[in-house]
C-alpha cells in the first residue's frame, strides 16, 4: 500500500453504530474507491462455521475458514443477523483469525485504485500507512437510538434498553481485548457524530481528504 495520490487508502475506525459504515460508503463513492466493511469479514467467517456445523471455539478451524473467505461476496443483509453477530464476537477475539483476516483486508486495500476500509483497527493495525485516518464516534445513547430506529424502521421489533446494554458490552469487549483493541490512531481525525448528521460528517471528512490530497 502506498499513501500517495495514485493509490488512496482511507481508514475509518469507531464503535458500533457511530456512522462509520455510512461515511465510508459515501467516501468510497465520492472518490471512486473500493469499500470494505471489515466487520463483515468476521461475520462471514462465523456464518461459514455455522453453516458447516463447525465449532466456534476451535481457533485453527476458524482461521482456516477465515483464510478461505471471498471478500467480494459479503452480503450485508444476510450477515447482519443477530445470531451471526453473536458468533462473530467469539471468533473475532482469536489471534489467528484476526491475522488471517487482516492479511486479506490489507490485500483488499492494495487493489487499484485504492480503498476505504472501516472497522475497529484499520488505522492502528490493518492500514497504519493510510493516506488519512478517521475515528468516528458518538455517545452510547445516540448509537443505541440509531440502531433501534434502524431495526424498527425495517419492520423489526427491538428494545432500546437492551440495545444500549449490548452496545456498552460491545464497547467494553472491543476496547479491552488484548489483540488489536479499539482505539483511535495517534494521527486520526476525530468525528463525533452525536449531534452531527451524515451530510455534515461527510463534508467534514471530504474537506480533510481533499487537503491530504493537496486539492
Amino acid at each position: 500500500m502506498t499513501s500517495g495520490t495514485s493509490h488512496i487508502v482511507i481508514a475509518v475506525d469507531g464503535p458500533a453504530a457511530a456512522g462509520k459504515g455510512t461515511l465510508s460508503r459515501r467516501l468510497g463513492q465520492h472518490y471512486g474507491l473500493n469499500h470494505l466493511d471489515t466487520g463483515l469479514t468476521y461475520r462471514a467467517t462465523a456464518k461459514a462455521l455455522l453453516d458447516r456445523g463447525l465449532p466456534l471455539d476451535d481457533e485453527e478451524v476458524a482461521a482456516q475458514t477465515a483464510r478461505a473467505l471471498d471478500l467480494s461476496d459479503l452480503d450485508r443483509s444476510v450477515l447482519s443477523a443477530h445470531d451471526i453477530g453473536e458468533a462473530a464476537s467469539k471468533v473475532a477475539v482469536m489471534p489467528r483469525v484476526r491475522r488471517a483476516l487482516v492479511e486479506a483486508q490489507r490485500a483488499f486495500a492494495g487493489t487499484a485504485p485504492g480503498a476505504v476500509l472501516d472497522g475497529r483497527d484499520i488505522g492502528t493495525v490493518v492500514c497504519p500507512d493510510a493516506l488519512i485516518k478517521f475515528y468516528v464516534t458518538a455517545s452510547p445513547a445516540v448509537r443505541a437510538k440509531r440502531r433501534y430506529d434502524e431495526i424498527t424502521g425495517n419492520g423489526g421489533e427491538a428494545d432500546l434498553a437492551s440495545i444500549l446494554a449490548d452496545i456498552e458490552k460491545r464497547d467494553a469487549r472491543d476496547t479491552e481485548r488484548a489483540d488489536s483493541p479499539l482505539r483511535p490512531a495517534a494521527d486520526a481525525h476525530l468525528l463525533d457524530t452525536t449531534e452531527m448528521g451524515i451530510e455534515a460528517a461527510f463534508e467534514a471528512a471530504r474537506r480533510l481528504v481533499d487537503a491530504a490530497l493537496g486539492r
Side-chain angles (χ1 to χ4, degrees):
M1 291 173 298
T2 65
S3 58
T5 55
S6 61
H7 186 98
I8 305 168
V9 177
I10 300 174
V12 185
D13 290 306
K20 65 182 181 294
T22 304
L23 175 63
S24 297
R25 287 190 293 275
R26 287 288 304 275
L27 288 171
Q29 291 166 358
H30 181 77
Y31 291 102
L33 302 173
N34 303 311
H35 169 251
L36 178 64
D37 174 349
T38 60
L40 293 182
T41 66
Y42 292 94
R43 285 175 172 264
T45 300
K47 183 178 185 299
L49 292 170
L50 292 171
D51 288 350
R52 293 159 59 192
L54 296 172
L56 295 173
D57 58 357
D58 187 321
E59 186 169 355
E60 181 51 38
V61 169
Q64 289 175 3
T65 303
R67 286 192 288 269
L69 273 190
D70 178 2
L71 298 194
S72 68
D73 186 30
L74 302 177
D75 189 333
R76 176 182 302 276
S77 62
V78 172
L79 296 175
S80 62
H82 181 73
D83 61 327
I84 294 176
E86 288 297 302
S89 70
K90 296 175 182 177
V91 300
V93 298
M94 298 175 175
R96 278 185 282 179
V97 171
R98 300 197 71 83
R99 284 197 294 272
L101 292 179
V102 165
E103 185 177 317
Q105 292 159 12
R106 285 175 176 159
F108 183 94
T111 58
V116 184
L117 284 80
D118 69 80
R120 287 168 173 74
D121 61 352
I122 310 304
T124 55
V125 175
V126 181
C127 300
D129 57 347
L131 170 72
I132 190 165
K133 305 169 188 176
F134 295 103
Y135 188 85
V136 184
T137 189
S139 72
V142 165
R143 291 188 282 129
K145 182 63 164 60
R146 288 174 183 166
R147 184 60 53 81
Y148 173 85
D149 290 344
E150 179 184 9
I151 294 170
T152 56
N154 289 326
E157 294 185 2
D159 177 72
L160 184 57
S162 295
I163 293 173
L164 177 57
D166 283 346
I167 279 180
E168 291 174 334
K169 183 171 66 175
R170 178 73 176 272
D171 287 352
R173 187 166 62 226
D174 287 342
T175 57
E176 294 168 8
R177 68 182 180 224
D179 192 343
S180 307
L182 170 65
R183 60 181 174 81
D187 53 348
H189 297 276
L190 179 67
L191 289 176
D192 189 328
T193 66
T194 300
E195 297 181 6
M196 182 189 294
I198 183 57
E199 284 302 323
F202 170 71
E203 284 302 319
R206 183 190 59 75
R207 286 193 295 271
L208 289 164
V209 174
D210 281 352
L213 289 170
R215 294 181 179 175

